[in-house]
Amino acid sequence: MLNPLPFFLLFITAKSFSTVAADVQLGSTLSASDPNSKWTSPSQTFTFTFITDPSGASSAHFAAIIYDNSPNIPIWIAGGSDLGAADSTATLRLLSNGNLELRNGSSNSLVWQSSTSGRGAASASLDDSGNFALRNSTRSDIWSTFDNPTDTIVPSQNFTRNHVL
């Protein structure tokens, strides 16, 4: 009889170290008012979507990457939990100029941005490690959530001396 343990360990190892990514095209938008608005990693382990205030202290919405579709358990929040609060009509847009922007829908005020306009972003992707990256035409990262952490570190993320939570 075959021992299933080696296959299971191989599957877990392959899943844990996968860097496959789901592409997000320039011009794509997420909306706080649409609960089905999301960008997911290929294995659907991570999702970039809007969540309500994780602390429960307000009705604010946050553009966040969540693990395993667990509501309100973010691994990264655009602008962080202090500066990324938006209203229920907010949008997160990957603009054609390569900038990722979070705006309140009611006032169109800028809440947060990646500040990557004009740096050559051709697409973005959320990979199976939980990293969301803006990439140029040669698929090199020009900005990523792993290089701009908020308050959580995941196992495959490098956290170097110059990073701050």
Side-chain angles (χ1 to χ4, degrees):
M1 180 169 172
L2 229 100
N3 183 350
L5 185 58
F7 173 74
F8 177 73
L9 291 175
L10 176 64
F11 174 74
I12 293 299
T13 302
K15 185 175 179 182
S16 298
F17 294 105
S18 173
T19 58
V20 175
D23 282 337
V24 176
Q25 301 305 311
L26 297 179
S28 296
T29 301
L30 296 178
S31 175
S33 63
D34 180 1
N36 296 316
S37 180
K38 58 187 172 184
W39 300 324
T40 57
S41 66
S43 68
Q44 298 182 353
T45 303
F46 294 95
T47 303
F48 205 151
T49 190
F50 276 90
I51 60 170
T52 55
D53 185 355
S55 71
S58 73
S59 61
H61 288 71
F62 296 87
I65 297 173
I66 58 173
Y67 172 72
D68 201 27
N69 293 320
S70 302
N72 296 336
I73 303 176
I75 64 157
W76 185 86
I77 296 175
S81 56
D82 295 332
L83 302 174
D87 64 29
S88 63
T89 61
T91 57
L92 181 73
R93 290 192 170 112
L94 179 54
L95 301 175
S96 59
N97 66 11
N99 202 31
L100 187 63
E101 289 185 354
L102 173 61
R103 290 189 174 270
N104 277 321
S106 58
S107 64
N108 198 35
S109 61
L110 183 65
V111 175
W112 172 88
Q113 66 177 321
S114 61
S115 298
T116 52
S117 176
R119 292 183 49 198
S123 67
S125 61
L126 179 59
D127 65 34
D128 282 333
S129 66
N131 187 34
F132 183 81
L134 300 176
R135 297 196 164 103
N136 63 22
S137 59
T138 62
R139 306 287 298 164
S140 296
D141 292 359
I142 60 169
W143 181 92
S144 76
T145 56
F146 277 14
D147 289 335
N148 296 275
T150 52
D151 62 0
T152 304
I153 302 296
V154 294
S156 58
Q157 182 175 355
N158 274 338
F159 190 71
T160 60
R161 184 176 178 184
N162 295 327
H163 287 119
V164 177
L165 288 181

